[in-house]
Amino acid sequence: MLPPPEDAAPSEPPVTLLRDAPDWYYLLREFEALYRHGSAGGSEPIRSHRAKVRNALSQILAANPAILPRPPAQKPVTAHFARTLDLGERGAMQGMARALREVRDRLHWEYGYEKMPKALARKYAYCEVLGPQGPVRSETLILGFVLFAPATTYPQHSHSGIEESYISIAGGWSENDTAVYAPGSLILNRPQHEHRITTGEQDPCLLAYAWIGDQTKLAQPGMKLTATRKARAARGI
């Protein structure tokens, strides 16, 4: 066999498809199970949201998309990640916690905001696993995880054109100081809904999330924190 010519173009690395990446595939299957078998609590809006997430995810799994990994990235709060996985594996969300542990060294943790309050930068980060920026690409659905340190208050904010849900994987938390949510609980936020998250004093908190809505909004969500009353007063608002 003759050797290739010296000026031959280098061959491209082989593309890895989702079905050939079992760790990512099984993690997405855990999401599918949460949105298929989790309780809707008698709520028609939650049932509708769960169906939209489930149907979008089913189409993505059937399409068997390529895996486009991002470089792993850490944030200060990821020092608490091992603890949340330990807590998750002890409770109702052990399947998700175990699947997440298998990809823990491949996650890209980030903030999503151009300007981050210094205090929050030490206590919060998220990672997208499916979506426009995830290792599993999708234009119609975003799935990922949010990690909070103990005693964190995530400021008031909302999302334009995006319907979102959060499911507790480990740790206790509240939204707008209305209740305490334990692992397995689901919260639905409609577009433009203002919400604030507060975590417990002793343990970190890990939430799985799903965003669904307008594709242009999913591609560029334009995340912004709502100004506090003190800041609005200072600006005369």
Side-chain angles (χ1 to χ4, degrees):
M1 179 181 296
L2 295 175
E6 294 182 0
D7 59 349
S11 59
E12 296 184 358
V15 175
T16 300
L17 300 179
L18 178 58
R19 292 295 183 96
D20 298 320
D23 291 342
W24 293 115
Y25 176 72
Y26 293 136
L27 180 63
L28 295 182
R29 287 281 303 276
E30 290 293 332
F31 271 99
E32 200 273 342
L34 287 181
Y35 282 86
R36 181 171 299 279
H37 303 298
S39 172
S43 167
E44 176 56 35
I46 292 177
R47 284 196 295 271
S48 174
H49 172 80
R50 289 175 61 228
K52 286 186 285 187
V53 171
R54 189 169 63 244
N55 292 339
L57 181 54
S58 294
Q59 293 178 9
I60 293 164
L61 293 175
N64 195 27
I67 301 293
L68 302 172
R70 299 176 69 186
Q74 304 290 315
K75 296 296 182 189
V77 72
T78 52
H80 299 275
F81 190 42
R83 173 65 174 172
T84 62
L85 294 179
D86 289 342
L87 292 172
E89 290 180 12
R90 300 178 196 175
M93 295 291 101
Q94 58 185 272
M96 177 65 85
R98 289 171 178 166
L100 187 54
R101 187 181 289 278
E102 296 303 311
V103 298
R104 62 178 296 184
D105 296 328
R106 287 169 270 171
L107 299 175
H108 184 97
W109 294 96
E110 54 191 316
Y111 293 134
Y113 297 96
E114 292 183 3
K115 296 182 179 180
M116 276 291 296
K118 290 183 179 180
L120 186 60
R122 295 184 291 103
K123 307 184 76 172
Y124 146 86
Y126 79 93
C127 65
E128 186 173 308
V129 297
L130 180 146
Q133 303 298 322
V136 184
R137 294 300 169 92
S138 167
E139 306 300 324
T140 59
L141 175 67
I142 296 178
L143 301 176
F145 298 90
V146 189
L147 177 62
F148 300 102
T152 295
T153 296
Y154 186 82
Q156 198 87 0
H157 64 286
S158 64
H159 305 281
S160 175
I162 296 173
E163 186 173 87
E164 61 175 359
S165 57
Y166 295 94
I167 298 178
S168 304
I169 305 302
W173 63 294
S174 65
E175 182 178 271
N176 296 342
D177 299 326
T178 57
V180 176
Y181 300 104
S185 303
L186 181 149
I187 289 294
L188 173 66
N189 291 320
R190 296 297 189 89
Q192 320 299 143
H193 174 70
E194 293 277 344
H195 51 285
R196 179 182 66 258
I197 293 173
T198 306
T199 66
E201 295 287 329
Q202 300 297 322
D203 286 313
C205 178
L206 180 67
L207 307 178
Y209 69 86
W211 287 10
I212 195 162
D214 183 87
Q215 291 189 26
T216 59
K217 294 294 185 181
L218 293 177
Q220 295 181 327
M223 295 168 62
K224 294 182 179 180
L225 299 175
T226 305
T228 63
R229 291 182 182 179
K230 183 177 181 180
R232 291 197 298 267
R235 299 203 304 265
I237 298 176

